[in-house]
Amino acid sequence: MQLRRVVVTGIGTINPIGNNVPAFFKSLDEGKSGASPITCFDCSLFKTQFACQVLDFDMTAYGFSKKDANKNDRYSQMALVAAREAVLDSGMDLESVNKDRIGVLVTSGVGGLETFVGEIEKNDPAQPPRYSPYLIPKLITDIAAGHISIQYGFRGPNFGLTAACSSSAMSIAVGAQFIQLGKADAMLVGGSETAVLPVGVGGFNAMHALSTRNDDPAAASRPFDRDRDGFVLGEGAGVLMLEDYEKAVARGARIYAEVAGYGLSADAYHFTAPDPEGRGAAQAMRLAMEDARISPAEVDYINTHGTSTHHGDIAETKAIREVFGKYASVPSVTSTKSMTGHLLGAAAAIEAIACIHSLCDGLIPPTINFCEEDPDIDYNLHFVFNKAESRRVNVAISNSFGFGGHNACLVFKRV
């Protein structure tokens, strides 16, 4: 069968370096770090005392009611805010569209962690347990999609899927597939995460996964640098409106980019560590480019998973070298996590939006905080360090890899 083309017609985000898309793009261009000392809890006894936070977030400042805020964990509050921006940005006439044909696939890696922990901590072990009736609905990872569908009356496919730090990449891929197969005309896709909490910081500290550069938080996320010592935990949301190309053209929509292909794979190696040779990552990239019917020579930009962990950065650069071969120095290579931190299940959606910025505006965001070369990393790749690079981008790919060995690669093309 002839698959339908899928394009992006709306984008929305709230994250540590931008409370909306224009602010996010400006910060990317300027190489701004979102890292700062943690303010939402007393972290003085933690090994890591900083994160990339969305400061002073209040859902009601975005047109939502206090009642809406009370019904939602912080993660789904941010999902609703990002979705609202994406819907408005799409220019879709909600009075005339067939809402049976519009779905929502906005998810999270861990869901309502704040609600879950808060409900447990408020109970006195010596007293009968008392829990809020909102506990279960607020913590589940699919509830953001449910609330968004209720907000707009979208009655198409509606669920959340979880694949750790690849969650929102998988959401984009699966949402695109619904449109390709004619199961939906449009899909709101993406992810949201708010794990800057004692249990989040403490849990990742116990794994030795987080940077402990407490004396200089803004310089802590340093992918591909010799002195990287772990990732910086971030929070926020990113949502994209995907549409059938023909229908988007017919209504005169502004088209940001085409979702041209995707590749999904598993490392089948270890539950937290990447395959040291990057085999699963390489397979995802190969499959994505095959799906998009492009060659390595055609890729202009790679937004890497690039978390600033020792093993992860090395494995990903090996994968790029293996897949791109003699063309490995052609695409510009960066990690926007150097600025936003690692937003776990929301990371891929925000990085997809960063790719769209490069496609539309001809600017490659830098990997900031790079100082010294690591002998285990291949710097013959075309890294963009510390300062944005002007470049016409026709094809961009975005890599996302999650605990459990879940790998995803997305291909975006200029239309």
Side-chain angles (χ1 to χ4, degrees), residues 44-384:
S44 58
L45 298 180
F46 286 77
K47 289 186 291 184
T48 296
Q49 300 172 6
F50 61 93
C52 288
Q53 305 163 97
V54 176
L55 299 172
D56 303 318
F57 174 70
D58 181 354
M59 185 185 187
T60 63
Y62 296 86
F64 292 92
S65 68
K66 188 71 173 176
K67 184 178 180 181
D68 291 328
N70 291 337
K71 289 189 298 184
N72 284 274
D73 183 86
R74 183 176 168 90
Y75 103 87
S76 51
Q77 291 181 8
M78 290 194 187
L80 280 156
V81 168
R84 171 166 288 189
E85 185 180 17
V87 170
L88 290 172
D89 187 50
S90 75
M92 187 179 286
D93 182 357
L94 299 182
E95 299 301 318
S96 64
V97 294
N98 181 357
K99 294 183 179 181
D100 291 341
R101 302 279 301 170
I102 303 175
V104 183
L105 214 177
V106 175
T107 190
S108 178
V110 295
L113 199 59
E114 182 178 49
T115 295
F116 183 57
V117 173
E119 285 292 310
I120 292 171
E121 289 181 341
K122 78 176 187 181
N123 274 285
D124 181 345
Q127 300 296 323
R130 296 177 61 87
Y131 293 100
S132 166
Y134 288 136
L135 168 59
I136 302 301
K138 287 174 72 172
L139 71 86
I140 52 181
T141 57
D142 63 299
I143 202 65
H147 278 299
I148 293 166
S149 72
I150 293 167
Q151 180 77 23
Y152 298 102
F154 294 156
R155 295 181 294 270
N158 183 271
F159 59 101
L161 57 82
T162 299
C165 303
S166 296
S167 294
S168 53
M170 302 284 188
S171 296
I172 293 168
V174 174
Q177 192 173 69
F178 275 111
I179 297 170
Q180 287 179 321
L181 297 174
K183 303 292 186 181
D185 293 333
M187 293 287 297
L188 270 178
V189 296
S192 182
E193 204 80 87
T194 55
V196 182
L197 300 162
V199 68
V201 175
F204 284 118
N205 268 163
M207 298 175 65
H208 304 286
L210 295 182
S211 170
T212 57
R213 198 181 291 267
N214 295 314
D215 59 333
D216 192 5
S221 184
R222 44 180 58 220
F224 314 115
D225 185 85
R226 188 193 68 178
D227 293 328
R228 63 194 182 280
D229 69 329
F231 71 82
V232 177
L233 189 59
E235 63 176 359
V239 176
L240 298 80
M241 176 70 83
L242 306 185
E243 276 193 72
D244 169 70
Y245 171 74
E246 299 293 343
K247 292 188 178 297
V249 170
R251 72 175 182 87
R254 174 186 51 193
I255 294 174
Y256 284 105
E258 180 174 1
V259 183
Y262 45 85
L264 312 177
S265 74
D267 275 359
Y269 174 77
H270 188 272
F271 68 110
T272 58
D275 182 308
E277 299 304 314
R279 282 181 283 257
Q283 176 73 346
M285 284 188 276
R286 285 195 196 96
L287 291 170
M289 289 189 286
E290 179 183 321
D291 190 40
R293 299 182 180 181
I294 59 170
S295 70
E298 296 175 84
V299 177
D300 302 300
Y301 174 40
I302 302 173
N303 188 303
T304 64
H305 186 58
T307 56
S308 187
T309 58
H310 178 73
H311 297 296
D313 290 2
I314 293 171
E316 187 168 11
T317 54
K318 285 182 178 179
I320 293 170
R321 169 58 68 182
E322 179 187 339
V323 172
F324 283 82
K326 66 180 181 180
Y327 300 106
S329 63
V330 172
S332 300
V333 176
T334 69
S335 171
T336 47
K337 287 185 179 73
S338 61
M339 294 176 269
T340 65
H342 190 358
L343 278 74
L344 310 180
I350 289 167
E351 288 153 18
I353 294 170
C355 286
I356 287 167
H357 177 41
S358 293
L359 285 161
C360 295
D361 301 317
L363 207 65
I364 306 290
T367 300
I368 65 171
N369 298 325
F370 181 79
C371 296
E372 295 192 50
E373 293 189 356
D374 179 343
D376 293 323
I377 287 181
D378 180 3
Y379 292 100
N380 291 315
L381 303 181
H382 181 170
F383 285 104
V384 178

